[in-house]
Amino acid sequence: MERALVADLRKHVGQTVTIQGWLYNSRSSGKLAFLIVRDGTGTVQCVLEKTDANAEMFAMAEKLSQESSLEVDGEVRADERAEGGVEMTAKAVRLVHASEGYPITPKPHGVDFLFRNRHLWFRSKRQWMILRVRATIIDEIRSFFNRNGYILIDTPIFAPSAGEGSQTLFKVDYFGEEVYLAQTGQLYLESACMAHRKVYCFGPTFRAEKSKTRRHLTEFWMVEPEIAYCQLDDVINVAEDLVCSLAQRVLRDHRTELEALGRDISKLEAIKKPFYRITYSEAAEILRGPRTRELLDSDMVRATARKAELEKMIAEKEKEAAGQGVKKWKAEKLAAEVIDHREELSEVETEIDNIPKHKQLSANFDWGGDLGGSDETLIARLHDRPVFVTHYPRDCKAFYMRRHDADPRLVQNFDLLAPEGYGEVIGGSQREERLDVLVHRMQEEGLKQEDYEWYLDLRRYGSVPHGGFGLGVERTVRWLCGLQHIRETIPYPRLMGRFYP
Ligand code: 4AD
Ligand code: MG
């Protein structure tokens, strides 16, 4: 019999095929067994009817436990109500391997439990969808640069010196010498753009981020283009085009997944050129101004109301679960819901604690410091399309950024902030191409010139204006999928205190 993938079943309507997969969920009426089977490409419901001839097989199918691997022969039927538009009338069900006591059941679990079982959690629908969107985003990133004439340059992961500040370096013992895991490929790419003009690198990068946030990982993937003969505006235009392509592509290929993830599609459709462009100084004004205050006040009202609501639901459900004669399944369901409510409650309580701090921080925002996570969130929430924030004070930014000609306090850089509060997804700049200015800036930063001689050579032999940026894959996946937390955007998230499995 012909084997088929669930994703292709629409092409097999009326035919009898074999699918090979795992049991996602099931129920039985005694006469009919409904088996939800996933095969890695999709899920389909297989309905097996009990007959005199198949009693034994029916009994086996009815008792199959979650995540048992199995093969089903069946006829494919069109059914517009079904997910994927098809169902299967099962003729035979064969067990490949019986799974016993699969730990992740359809009821809700706590986040820590799920991450300790990440190797299995992958199989759950939501995680499956997110990682598929991630794969598409990565594919679109590569094709964007490939079709626009960029040459892929793989930059090293063992790096002898810091690329993005010494605070977040991971040290590695390299045969008795100290090297670091790469925080960026940029410095190497700068050398490559002088050879190939338009280049990009795409790989894992590492930062010892000591805070636990919704947007930081210690290991994340970054794509970085670098272009010779180019100025800040040119770089910004490339970033804008890339982000538009990514939004278009996920809308084209993943509407179903995005809807299932609860993403507001209209927000993605709004990702169109031109994005907003404001300067750092304008951003500082916004933070100190009335719109920011009003936004935080309304947050406080919303969070306080939600806190009361959650506390009420928790109390009611705990009371109900403890009541006389409550069925076991019902008590379990209530207990699971209480776990969820408690998780949300602790987040809402943190928010309530933080709002006054954010209010104070933004109201007293001092010109000169970098925008913090909460500042970025506020700016981003006050815009309905992505915002480029340009021209930061040089003291809060990396040593390689080009000093502004008219105002030497500033650099020619930008961050791209995603709307709805997702914050920075891209950081980029024009690079300092003047040897003396660069050397001076490195001295201010206390960087050892001898570690960077090779980098300074690029300013000695045919230096030209050039620039580029870095886009964080996981931040982009989080934004486009509309996820609360960055940890679900990568197969095996690495955070402070989390590296298993
Ligand atoms: O702004 P960053 O630090 O810029 C650079 O690394 C430059 N060398 C890029 C360049 O100009 N070639 O990082 C770039 C992006 C951020 O905007 C963010 O999306 C992501 O990388 N990123 C992180 N993502 C997850 N976890 C972290 N700890 C991240 N740090 C940066
Ligand atoms: Mg940055």
Side-chain angles (χ1 to χ4, degrees):
M1 198 169 305
E2 194 185 344
R3 284 189 303 173
L5 296 173
V6 169
D8 300 333
L9 286 181
R10 263 178 189 282
K11 291 184 237 155
H12 296 278
V13 170
Q15 299 168 9
T16 298
V17 297
T18 301
I19 59 166
Q20 302 174 300
W22 295 261
L23 188 70
Y24 195 64
N25 209 341
S26 66
R27 65 192 167 85
S28 170
S29 70
K31 277 212 162 76
L32 296 174
F34 299 90
L35 310 176
I36 314 282
V37 178
R38 54 167 202 90
D39 79 336
T41 71
T43 49
V44 65
Q45 172 162 280
C46 304
V47 186
L48 179 69
E49 190 181 355
K50 185 176 179 179
T51 61
D52 291 341
N54 77 1
E56 203 174 315
M57 182 198 291
F58 188 86
M60 181 275 291
E62 207 180 23
K63 278 206 268 3
L64 276 178
S65 51
Q66 194 192 342
E67 287 304 318
S68 290
S69 39
L70 75 175
E71 293 181 345
V72 180
D73 303 337
E75 186 187 332
V76 184
R77 281 187 294 107
D79 182 345
E80 282 318 312
R81 290 161 313 172
E83 189 189 318
V86 289
E87 265 200 3
M88 277 178 77
T89 305
K91 306 233 161 103
V93 178
R94 288 180 298 279
L95 178 65
V96 176
H97 176 254
S99 157
E100 299 282 346
Y102 187 69
I104 304 174
T105 58
K107 69 178 191 195
H109 296 277
V111 164
D112 275 322
F113 175 84
L114 291 169
F115 276 106
R116 274 200 316 280
N117 286 287
R118 183 63 169 167
H119 53 298
L120 302 174
W121 190 28
F122 275 156
R123 305 179 188 191
S124 301
K125 193 71 183 269
R126 185 183 148 82
Q127 302 306 314
W128 180 82
M129 293 190 297
I130 295 170
L131 292 185
R132 285 168 77 92
V133 177
R134 175 190 168 97
T136 298
I137 288 174
I138 289 174
D139 182 55
E140 184 59 28
I141 289 171
R142 292 191 191 286
S143 28
F144 177 89
F145 288 113
N146 292 339
R147 72 178 175 255
N148 286 300
Y150 291 74
I151 304 300
L152 174 70
I153 300 290
D154 298 311
T155 53
I157 286 176
F158 290 132
S161 47
E164 288 294 331
S166 53
Q167 315 307 326
T168 60
L169 285 172
F170 276 115
K171 292 187 191 129
V172 180
D173 176 348
Y174 194 80
F175 306 111
E177 290 191 81
E178 187 174 292
V179 300
Y180 311 99
L181 296 180
Q183 300 165 303
T184 169
Q186 180 197 318
L187 306 193
Y188 294 102
L189 268 191
E190 287 185 51
S191 70
C193 83
M194 304 302 168
H196 296 275
R197 192 155 192 134
K198 297 207 291 185
V199 293
Y200 74 103
C201 65
F202 195 177
T205 40
F206 305 86
R207 301 211 187 158
E209 301 282 357
K210 290 174 199 78
S211 56
K212 287 190 192 170
T213 75
R214 293 154 182 257
R215 56 173 92 178
H216 287 95
L217 295 164
T218 55
E219 176 178 328
F220 62 96
W221 286 68
M222 177 158 63
V223 64
E224 298 179 88
E226 191 73 28
I227 308 159
Y229 284 106
C230 127
Q231 303 195 335
L232 182 63
D233 274 341
D234 306 314
V235 182
I236 288 180
N237 291 337
V238 175
E240 196 174 50
D241 284 338
L242 171 64
V243 169
C244 289
S245 300
L246 296 178
Q248 290 307 310
R249 176 75 186 274
V250 296
L251 279 170
R252 192 192 82 191
D253 290 0
H254 291 293
R255 219 167 248 274
T256 324
E257 282 88 349
L258 294 169
E259 277 165 5
L261 290 167
R263 186 70 174 107
D264 181 346
I265 303 281
S266 70
K267 296 280 197 311
L268 298 184
E269 284 167 340
I271 304 177
K272 292 235 168 79
K273 291 206 275 190
F275 297 171
Y276 295 98
R277 297 181 191 207
I278 64 175
T279 63
Y280 167 92
S281 298
E282 286 163 346
E285 282 305 312
I286 294 175
L287 287 172
R288 289 190 290 250
R291 285 167 65 213
T292 298
R293 240 182 358 263
E294 282 159 26
L295 186 64
L296 287 169
D297 287 340
S298 72
D299 283 352
M300 194 58 150
V301 172
R302 183 189 34 75
T304 312
R306 184 66 186 157
K307 177 172 188 263
E309 201 171 41
L310 285 163
E311 284 168 342
K312 187 156 163 260
M313 288 194 293
I314 291 171
E316 284 171 1
K317 287 182 180 175
E318 284 182 335
K319 189 161 164 231
E320 191 184 343
Q324 288 253 308
V326 178
K327 295 241 166 48
K328 185 161 168 269
W329 68 265
K330 178 78 182 177
E332 275 176 5
K333 181 165 177 280
L334 288 165
E337 284 169 10
V338 167
I339 293 183
D340 270 7
H341 293 333
R342 283 200 187 285
E343 249 158 41
E344 191 187 339
L345 180 63
S346 113
E347 282 177 9
V348 172
E349 282 170 346
T350 312
E351 194 187 350
I352 291 174
D353 280 352
N354 284 337
I355 290 171
K357 287 183 224 158
H358 291 169
K359 218 169 142 175
Q360 232 215 326
L361 277 175
S362 55
N364 301 315
F365 184 84
D366 263 339
W367 194 98
D370 203 356
L371 298 181
S374 69
D375 303 318
E376 288 175 0
T377 305
L378 288 164
I379 300 282
R381 286 177 64 203
L382 289 166
H383 292 83
D384 56 3
R385 269 175 286 133
V387 194
F388 288 107
V389 182
T390 64
H391 301 99
Y392 284 60
R394 70 185 168 97
D395 291 334
C396 69
K397 285 291 174 187
F399 73 95
Y400 53 70
M401 293 182 179
R402 190 183 198 284
R403 190 175 298 186
H404 194 277
D405 285 329
D407 186 346
R409 296 175 309 159
L410 306 180
V411 282
Q412 295 276 76
N413 81 311
F414 72 94
D415 276 357
L416 179 67
L417 309 185
E420 304 169 80
Y422 289 101
E424 180 191 335
V425 289
I426 296 184
S429 66
Q430 189 176 328
R431 321 303 187 190
E432 185 53 74
E433 83 282 15
R434 297 161 295 185
L435 183 63
D436 53 336
V437 184
L438 184 58
V439 167
H440 183 248
R441 183 80 186 95
M442 287 171 54
Q443 283 163 356
E444 281 180 351
E445 286 278 305
L447 295 172
K448 275 198 267 160
Q449 185 170 330
E450 72 232 47
D451 290 346
Y452 294 87
E453 279 304 334
W454 69 271
Y455 184 66
L456 294 174
D457 274 351
L458 308 175
R459 280 74 184 164
R460 294 186 180 110
Y461 306 110
S463 191
V464 299
H466 64 289
F469 63 83
L471 170 134
V473 168
E474 292 75 17
R475 296 233 181 133
T476 307
V477 175
R478 175 177 175 236
W479 168 33
L480 297 181
C481 289
L483 307 177
Q484 283 280 323
H485 204 292
I486 197 165
R487 64 196 169 196
E488 284 177 89
T489 62
I490 184 164
Y492 286 96
R494 297 294 180 239
L495 300 153
M496 201 174 66
R498 193 187 301 286
F499 47 84
Y500 175 90

